[in-house]
Structures are given as C-alpha cells and as structure tokens.
Amino acid sequence: MVRMEHLPVEVIGNILSRLRAARDVVIASATCKKWREAWRNHLHTLSFNSNDWPVYHDLTTSRLEILITQTIFQTTGLQCLSIFMDDVDEFSAAPVIAWLMYTRDTLRQLHYNVRTTPNVNIIEKCSRQKLEVLALAHNSVTGVEPSYQKFLCLKSLSLSYVCISALDLSLLLTACPKLTSLSLINPDIAMSDAQATMELTSASLKDIYVEAVSLDKFILEADTLENLHLKDCTLELFELIGKGSLKVLKIDDVSVLHLDIGENTENLQIVDVSSFTIMWPKFYNMISRSSNLRRLRLWGVVFDDEDEGTSRLENVVVLELGWTIISELFSEWVAGLIERCPKLRNLNMNRSPDLPFGFLVFSRHDLYNKLVMDNSG
C-alpha cells in the first residue's frame, strides 16, 4: 500500500483538484510542504462558490476580490476556474481582468456569474486561447469581431441572463468553428430592427438548449444538430434548417405559431412534448416520417385539431401520455395512437389530479377492450 507521503506531487494535485472548492483546497494544501507544492504547481481546478462556505456571505466585495486574487495567483496551471457568488452584486473590473489575464494561457474551462463594473468584455479577454468550455451569466457581450476574437477550441458555450445583440450572438457562433453545445437561458437579446428576428448558423453544433426566449422569428441553421430542446419560449416562427441529423426533440411549455423543422425528422429517436398546443395532423405527419422513432412523450398537450394521420409509428416502443384537459374523443384518440404503434412495449398514462378518476378508469377500460378486440381480429 502506498503511503500518503510517497504519492507523486502530480497525483496530489489531482486529489486537490477533485476537491474543487477553494476553501477545501487551501486547507488540504496546508498538510505539508509537498501538498503546498502540489497546490502551486499541479492544481488544475478551482471553484469559488458562495454555497461552499458561509463566511463568503459575510465578506465585503473588496475583501472577497482580494481573497480570490491571492488564491488564484498562488497557482500556476489552472485549467478550470469557476466563480459563482450569488450574494455579490458586482465585482470591480480590475481584479476580474487580472484573474482572466493570469490564467488565460492554461485555462480550458471558465464558469463566471458575477456582474462587473465597468463591464468587462470577457469574450475579448478569453479569445485566441485554448478555452473549451465557457459559461457566462449576468454579463454583457458586445462588439464581437470573429476575424479577431476566435475560439478555435471552444466546444461548449452557455449564456445565462446575458445581454447580447442578435448580430453579436450570430458572429460569436461564427468565431467558434468547433462548438458542439449551446445553451441560451433567458438572454436579453437586442434587436437592430422592429421585427425580433434571430438567425444563427453553425456547421458543428450538435446540442442546443433554449429557455425563456421571446422572438418573432428564430431561424437556426445547423447541419449536424442532434438534440433540440426549447423551454418556456414564446415564438411566432421557429425554423430549423439542417440535413436530417436531429435525434432528440424536446418542447416544454412553448408558445409557437409555426414550428418548421422541415425534413429533419427522418432520424428522430425521441420526441418529448409537454404543455404545448399542437396542430395534431401536422405534428403527427411530421413525426411519422421518422423510421427510427423509439420514444414518444406527450404530456399536458392540447390539440387544436384531433383528426389523425393514417401512417404508422412502426418502431415506437415507449409511449407516455399525460393530460389535464380531456375532450369527448380523447379515448378514441389514445386508442388510435396506440394502434399505430405495433411494437409498443411500455405504456405510461397519467392524468391531472383535478380530473374525475371514474372517467380515467372508463377510458382505460374502453381502451383495453378496443385493443383486445382489434388484436383478436
């Protein structure tokens, strides 16, 4: 068995990095000289989170800035830096710039959620380096110049409560040729014209999550997109332009008048729709084009038109249905849907607690009899 004092300093650095929380790292590094060396030269992950240590809440902003600066400046090879201080209204620009400049040559991941005064252009400070993951919150992004501010290694970008224009967001994606994952959560998107239109293009994007976005038109061109998740959005038009690579479609509490994903349904494997009003014939025809669809979830969905398509969902094996509003034709609609899933193996049905249980039992009993009769025939 290897004794602690015999561990290579690189291994100790990995152990400290797994602690993540700055306070825990500092305490552990005080064990002996060898651990202090590991902290200074082999620590690659460091996190300052107001939830990790109650004392953070009692420190003034200036004292907190000094504490973070002193801790970061005692390291030499940070690859992942995370700063989440929910109680801090804003940091001064000078220390934030110092942290970014000090770590820019080695940093691979940056997670930062504190406002700065005046605003620091983090995009500019972090560009042209080896950053692979960037998660920003409560900041502003302006003046993106893709010819100069390139992110050649960036694979994941998350913008939460960030102020950015539609043009700058489009240019930012252009500056990230290897981006595979994009998350937009409640962004403040500035528009250059009266119509709120956002057009994004990415040749490498595979996964996009969009939450709390309100636009007239949202057009996404992504030839390699595999996962699309829209949540709490209000859109007049959403259009996906691609080459049929989409595998997972999730729509959660979205208001959209026109949903157009074109021919991108042919390789769909999972469709998960909840709290959404659907033009059922159009939606059914859209998903029925996919020969790979395995899982279909319709939860709290309202149908503007309950006429069904005639094509079958040949490979659906899991069907989940939940509802809050039941029309007179509900049981017939459910039965018809199940009949179109010849390989169905798992059926999960749920209802709102406000609905009468007797109606639910009748519907299921009626549905069971219908299926037995059809199968016996």
Side-chain angles (χ1 to χ4, degrees):
M1 183 174 65
V2 179
R3 295 173 63 88
M4 289 293 288
E5 59 265 25
H6 296 153
L7 287 176
V9 69
E10 295 84 0
V11 173
I12 298 174
N14 287 333
I15 294 173
L16 293 175
S17 296
R18 288 181 177 272
L19 294 177
R20 298 186 64 89
R23 172 183 177 273
D24 296 338
V25 171
V26 171
I27 293 175
S29 66
T31 303
C32 63
K33 182 179 179 180
K34 193 172 185 179
W35 282 64
R36 287 193 293 273
E37 179 189 351
W39 172 33
R40 293 189 179 96
N41 300 320
H42 299 283
L43 182 72
H44 54 75
T45 301
L46 193 59
S47 172
F48 299 88
N49 191 314
S50 54
N51 295 322
D52 291 339
W53 190 26
V55 175
Y56 283 138
H57 301 284
D58 301 327
L59 298 177
T60 63
T61 300
S62 59
R63 184 70 187 94
L64 191 55
E65 292 170 349
I66 294 173
L67 180 64
I68 294 175
T69 302
Q70 290 176 338
T71 306
I72 292 176
F73 278 31
Q74 291 187 64
T75 68
T76 59
L78 275 185
Q79 297 180 20
C80 179
L81 176 61
S82 177
I83 301 177
F84 286 93
M85 293 292 168
D86 292 332
D87 291 346
V88 178
D89 291 332
E90 54 191 31
F91 279 142
S92 300
V96 175
I97 293 174
W99 305 335
L100 297 177
M101 298 305 292
Y102 183 79
T103 59
R104 65 180 304 188
D105 291 336
T106 59
L107 207 60
R108 301 293 184 272
Q109 298 185 30
L110 174 62
H111 305 261
Y112 184 74
N113 84 327
V114 185
R115 296 180 179 86
T116 56
T117 302
N119 182 62
V120 174
N121 192 337
I122 294 180
I123 296 298
E124 179 184 358
K125 302 300 179 185
C126 294
S127 63
R128 307 184 310 282
Q129 301 303 317
K130 299 178 181 179
L131 205 63
E132 297 177 3
V133 177
L134 176 60
L136 290 181
H138 304 292
N139 277 262
S140 297
V141 176
T142 58
V144 176
E145 295 287 348
S147 59
Y148 174 69
Q149 299 168 349
K150 291 185 177 296
F151 290 84
L152 298 179
C153 300
L154 195 67
K155 298 177 181 178
S156 176
L157 175 64
S158 176
L159 302 177
S160 302
Y161 303 93
V162 167
C163 182
I164 186 171
S165 71
L167 176 60
D168 278 332
L169 181 55
S170 177
L171 293 174
L172 182 55
L173 294 193
T174 303
C176 306
K178 295 184 179 180
L179 189 69
T180 59
S181 177
L182 174 64
S183 176
L184 300 174
I185 300 176
N186 201 9
D188 183 3
I189 300 176
M191 297 295 168
S192 57
D193 51 31
Q195 188 176 51
T197 301
M198 183 168 68
E199 299 184 25
L200 302 180
T201 302
S202 174
S204 58
L205 195 64
K206 292 186 177 181
D207 192 328
I208 185 169
Y209 174 80
V210 181
E211 180 179 343
V213 168
S214 180
L215 294 167
D216 293 335
K217 293 182 180 180
F218 185 178
I219 302 173
L220 174 63
E221 184 173 353
D223 291 343
T224 61
L225 191 69
E226 296 180 359
N227 296 282
L228 170 61
H229 189 174
L230 303 177
K231 181 178 180 180
D232 296 334
C233 295
T234 302
L235 308 166
E236 288 192 14
L237 167 69
F238 177 84
E239 180 179 359
L240 174 62
I241 302 172
K243 293 185 177 179
S245 59
L246 192 65
K247 295 180 180 180
V248 178
L249 173 64
K250 292 186 177 182
I251 303 175
D252 183 4
D253 197 11
V254 172
S255 174
V256 57
L257 295 180
H258 302 286
L259 176 66
D260 184 3
I261 57 177
E263 301 300 321
N264 291 280
T265 60
E266 48 194 56
N267 289 309
L268 273 174
Q269 298 177 7
I270 298 175
V271 174
D272 187 334
V273 180
S274 58
S275 303
F276 186 54
T277 300
I278 294 178
M279 295 294 292
W280 179 243
K282 184 177 180 179
F283 183 80
Y284 184 86
N285 289 333
M286 179 180 70
I287 63 175
S288 63
R289 291 198 295 267
S290 173
S291 60
N292 296 319
L293 188 62
R294 300 288 188 274
R295 185 185 188 100
L296 176 60
R297 182 177 185 269
L298 303 175
W299 217 256
V301 171
V302 178
F303 303 108
D304 275 355
D305 189 335
E306 296 184 355
D307 290 338
E308 297 186 44
T310 58
S311 55
R312 291 155 67 93
L313 303 175
E314 293 288 347
N315 294 305
V316 171
V317 294
V318 178
L319 180 61
E320 298 184 47
L321 303 174
W323 59 91
T324 56
I325 300 175
I326 297 180
S327 68
E328 295 178 356
L329 301 177
F330 178 78
S331 60
E332 294 184 13
W333 172 81
V334 173
L337 180 59
I338 294 177
E339 287 175 356
R340 287 166 172 77
C341 302
K343 297 181 180 179
L344 189 64
R345 294 292 177 268
N346 188 335
L347 174 62
N348 182 8
M349 300 178 68
N350 204 348
R351 84 193 202 293
S352 167
D354 297 331
L355 292 176
F357 187 72
F359 182 84
L360 175 66
V361 173
F362 172 77
S363 297
R364 285 185 175 176
H365 179 71
D366 181 64
L367 175 61
Y368 174 78
N369 286 338
K370 179 177 178 59
L371 291 178
V372 170
M373 293 297 295
D374 289 345
N375 290 333
S376 63

